[in-house]
């Protein structure tokens, strides 16, 4: 088993009456992309800020590279790259100068720094914009600059807090590919987002948090196995009677079926040929149907089943 | 080093607007220095009035009176019509109108003194009262000699002699004023420039570094909080040092005979403490201000308020007792009093306690503002 890079144990953080983190436990191993998924206000950023010692906490412990992190843990911080949720760059400095500034907070050697800055610019694809000032950049390019500022010094641990908020699809793909490349080069990544597709796409292990508590943790597949639904089938049906709906609910492997606004939604749990069996029933009973599609469960379904609400609520 | 480099790049980016502010404030200060230097020379000249006279008397006394008035004033004939006369008085083309009746000499020699002459003037005007006093002074003196038994010729001669005597007018501190070098006024205006320009130059850069997101990002880095702050303080000190040296250089070019003396040296020390105070004000301001335009407002309000209350724009001598009490709570008051005291020093051994008191009080203000700013900074960090 890989060495843990970050270990969070029983972390409790209160903002006056609000409990932002409620006995949170996380373990992020070396070399993995760890996703922290949760709706807005679930405590993701608070957890990240505690890991970075930007926030003090009421209870628990946070260890990074095996040591308790403190505001003055500068030796530990040398190996951490940070891309915060809000873009933190100097409006008065160019793209190159901004990356050079933040890289210079970690790397003193001028020549090495110049090389690192060039590599970071290449990495995020800002070669054509090195002399641009941030206000001349689009939202996507600005996010890329923010990432370059966080990763230029080649840290072992990179924490990205919602790096793709308000980013166009092209930049988003570029950012996600970049994160996977960084991981391939050996960096451990902590990635927070409320976009489940992104987390599913790049993260090896995922923790879902809500109201400051971890409600599930595992790989993408492990999380989906936690819920009953294996398959969700949608069929446009006209004139389905209550009796027919009750018959469908009795079919094998069907554990839930809803019929609203001419749409039949069936949740299946395991089994094979569920769709064929359902369509066969409709044909036998001369129920006319139109469009048919099936989908595998998503992390949203996991969240929905555990919390009773949508991830984006 | 990164903080220093970024600081200098940011200030370089803001340099054009800083230079404009700097030029404006230096221009204002030099202009006011010149104006103050002139107004403080305290010259005295008698006012010349415009007097119209209708003289119906053929006697000698009326002619003597007119001759007397003509020495110091412009005496002219009466306008032709009443309307023209009223217009002339209304428009202040005439300060005083004197009517001498036909039998003036005869009546005066007969001992009749009151109410012989008539006059018109702007009611309650100082020029009218002044003309009244001139005419009455002449008649009273002449009457006094006649009543004492002098002949008419003797009385006229004596009156003319008496009234030709003039008093030398001087102010009690006139000697000091005459000796005050114009460089003293140049130095006196420096705190106003310092407060305005330091807030406008250093403030926006500090505001960038104190920006919530940049600050959070910096805190995540491997450079310690204290090192970053030391670089920020060092960079700000360098900027104010350049400004201070530049203004001293300008002062040295304009007034070398003062700046390159003991007085100039002490004045420079006083000014340096003053610019440190300005930096502490800028530091406190950026803790409270969120936007750059607030800094501009604060610099104007602080600069003007401290300049007026501290006696930079208005001499402390003219302050009322209560205003002076308030004034003593401003560091600029202590700067101005120290600057004044320095202007009397000729040797280092003559440096009075007043000077050190002024300098130390300013330094205490600077430290107090700095500590206050740091407290706010810490409170904000905790939030």
């Amino acid at each position: 088993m890989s060495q843990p890079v970050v270990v969070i144990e029983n972390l409790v953080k209160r903002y006056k009456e609000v409990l932002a983190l409620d006995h949170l436990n996380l373990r992020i191993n070396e070399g993995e992309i760890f996703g922290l998924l949760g709706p807005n206000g679930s405590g993701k950023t608070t957890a990240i800020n505690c890991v970075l010692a930007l926030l003090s906490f009421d209870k628990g412990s946070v260890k990074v590279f095996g040591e308790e992190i403190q505001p003055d843990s500068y030796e530990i911080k040398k190996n951490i790259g940070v891309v915060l949720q809000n873009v933190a760059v100097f409006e008065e400095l160019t793209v190159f100068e901004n990356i050079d500034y933040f890289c210079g907070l970690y790397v003193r050697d001028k020549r090495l720094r110049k090389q690192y800055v060039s590599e970071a610019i290449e990495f995020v694809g800002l070669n054509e914009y090195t002399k641009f000032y941030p206000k001349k950049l689009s939202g996507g390019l600005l996010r890329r600059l923010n990432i370059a500022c966080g990763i230029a010094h080649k840290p072992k641990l990179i924490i990205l807090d919602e790096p793709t908020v308000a980013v166009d699809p092209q930049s988003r793909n570029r950012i996600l590919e970049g994160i996977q490349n960084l991981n391939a080069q050996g960096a451990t990544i902590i990635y927070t987002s409320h976009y489940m597709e992104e987390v599913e796409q790049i993260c090896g292990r995922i923790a879902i948090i809500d109201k400051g508590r971890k409600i599930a943790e595992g790989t993408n597949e492990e999380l989906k196995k936690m819920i009953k639904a294996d398959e969700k089938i949608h069929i446009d049906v006209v004139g389905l009677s209550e009796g027919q709906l009750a018959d469908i609910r009795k079919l094998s492997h069907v554990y839930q079926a809803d019929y609203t606004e001419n749409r039949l939604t069936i949740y299946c749990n395991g089994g094979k040929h569920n769709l064929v069996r359902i369509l066969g029933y409709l044909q036998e009973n001369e129920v006319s149907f139109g469009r048919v599609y099936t989908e595998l469960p998503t992390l949203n379904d996991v969240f929905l089943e555990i919390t009773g609400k949508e991830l984006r609520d | 080093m990164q903080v220093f480099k970024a600081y200098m790049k940011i200030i370089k980016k803001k340099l054009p607007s800083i230079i404009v502010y700097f030029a404006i404030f230096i221009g204002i200060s030099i202009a006011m220095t010149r104006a103050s230097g002139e107004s403080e020379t305290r010259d005295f000249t008698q006012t010349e009035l415009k007097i119209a006279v209708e003289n119906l008397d053929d006697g000698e006394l009326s002619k003597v009176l007119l001759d007397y008035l003509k020495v110091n004033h412009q005496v002219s004939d009466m306008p032709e019509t009443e309307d023209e006369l009223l217009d002339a008085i209304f428009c202040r083309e005439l300060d005083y109108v004197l009517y001498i009746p036909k039998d003036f000499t005869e009546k005066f020699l007969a001992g009749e003194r009151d109410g012989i002459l008539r006059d018109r003037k702007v009611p309650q005007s100082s020029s009218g009262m002044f003309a009244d006093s001139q005419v009455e002074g002449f008649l009273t003196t002449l009457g006094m000699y006649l009543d004492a038994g002098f002949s008419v010729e003797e009385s006229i001669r004596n009156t003319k002699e008496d009234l030709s005597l003039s008093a030398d007018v001087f102010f009690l501190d006139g000697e000091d004023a005459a000796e005050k070098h114009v460089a003293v006024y140049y130095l006196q205006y420096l705190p106003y420039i310092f407060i305005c320009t330091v807030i406008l130059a250093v403030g926006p850069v500090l505001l960038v570094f104190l920006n919530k997101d940049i600050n959070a990002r910096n805190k995540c880095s491997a450079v310690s909080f204290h090192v970053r702050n030391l670089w920020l303080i060092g960079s700000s000190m360098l900027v104010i040092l350049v400004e201070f040296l530049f203004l001293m250089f300008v002062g040295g070019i304009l007034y070398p005979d003062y700046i390159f003396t003991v007085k100039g040296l002490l004045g420079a020390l006083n000014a340096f403490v003053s610019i440190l105070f300005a930096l502490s004000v800028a530091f406190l301001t950026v803790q409270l201000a969120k936007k750059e335009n607030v800094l501009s407002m604060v610099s104007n309000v602080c600069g003007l308020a401290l300049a007026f209350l501290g006696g930079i724009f208005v001499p402390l001598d003219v302050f009322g007792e209560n205003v002076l009490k308030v004034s003593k709570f401003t560091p600029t008051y202590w700067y101005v009093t120290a600057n004044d005291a320095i202007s009397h020093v000729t040797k280092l051994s003559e440096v009075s306690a007043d000077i050190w008191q002024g300098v130390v009080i300013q330094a205490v203000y600077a430290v107090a503002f700095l500590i206050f700013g740091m407290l706010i900074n810490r409170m904000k960090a905790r939030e």
Side-chain angles (χ1 to χ4, degrees), chain A residues 52 54 74 77-78 82 84 86-90 92-93 97 100-102 104-106 113 133 149-150, chain B residues 2-3 5-6 9-10 13-14 208-209 213-226 228:
Chain A
L52 293 168
L54 288 176
Y74 301 114
K77 287 181 179 179
K78 269 184 187 172
V82 184
L84 295 175
N86 294 336
V87 174
V89 293
F90 293 95
E92 297 79 5
L93 303 185
E97 288 167 343
D100 182 64
Y101 170 82
F102 287 107
L105 297 176
Y106 304 86
R113 193 167 73 233
Y133 287 95
C149 292
Chain B
Q2 288 303 99
V3 175
K5 275 168 66 182
K9 278 174 188 166
I10 294 168
K13 191 93 200 301
K14 294 182 184 292
V208 169
F209 280 93
D213 297 325
I214 297 273
N215 200 22
R217 181 65 190 81
N218 279 331
K219 279 181 185 171
C220 297
S221 77
V223 176
S224 80
F225 175 75
H226 297 295
R228 277 200 319 275

Side-chain angles (χ1 to χ4, degrees), chain A residues 167-183:
Chain A
V167 166
D168 59 280
Q170 189 193 349
S171 286
R172 177 174 293 185
N173 287 337
R174 176 130 200 166
I175 289 168
L176 295 178
E177 279 172 22
I179 291 166
Q180 285 172 313
N181 285 339
L182 285 169
N183 180 243

Side-chain angles (χ1 to χ4, degrees), chain B residues 109-121:
Chain B
L109 290 174
E112 193 180 329
R113 303 284 148 81
D114 296 331
I116 316 176
L117 297 177
R118 270 197 320 119
D119 63 67
R120 292 174 91 167
K121 63 200 170 218

Side-chain angles (χ1 to χ4, degrees), chain B residues 4-23:
Chain B
F4 175 77
K5 275 168 66 182
Y7 189 109
M8 290 304 151
K9 278 174 188 166
I10 294 168
I11 208 157
K12 193 175 156 194
K13 191 93 200 301
K14 294 182 184 292
L15 206 56
S17 58
I18 292 170
I19 288 173
V20 170
Y21 279 123
F22 204 61

Side-chain angles (χ1 to χ4, degrees), chain B residues 18 38 48 57 62 94 111 119 128 143 158 194 197 203 212 220 253 326-327 359 369 378:
Chain B
I18 292 170
E38 281 166 18
E48 190 178 70
D57 181 45
S62 62
L94 281 176
D119 63 67
N158 289 341
F194 289 156
T197 56
K212 195 181 159 197
C220 297
I253 288 175
V326 176
S327 177
V359 172
F369 274 64
R378 180 159 285 195

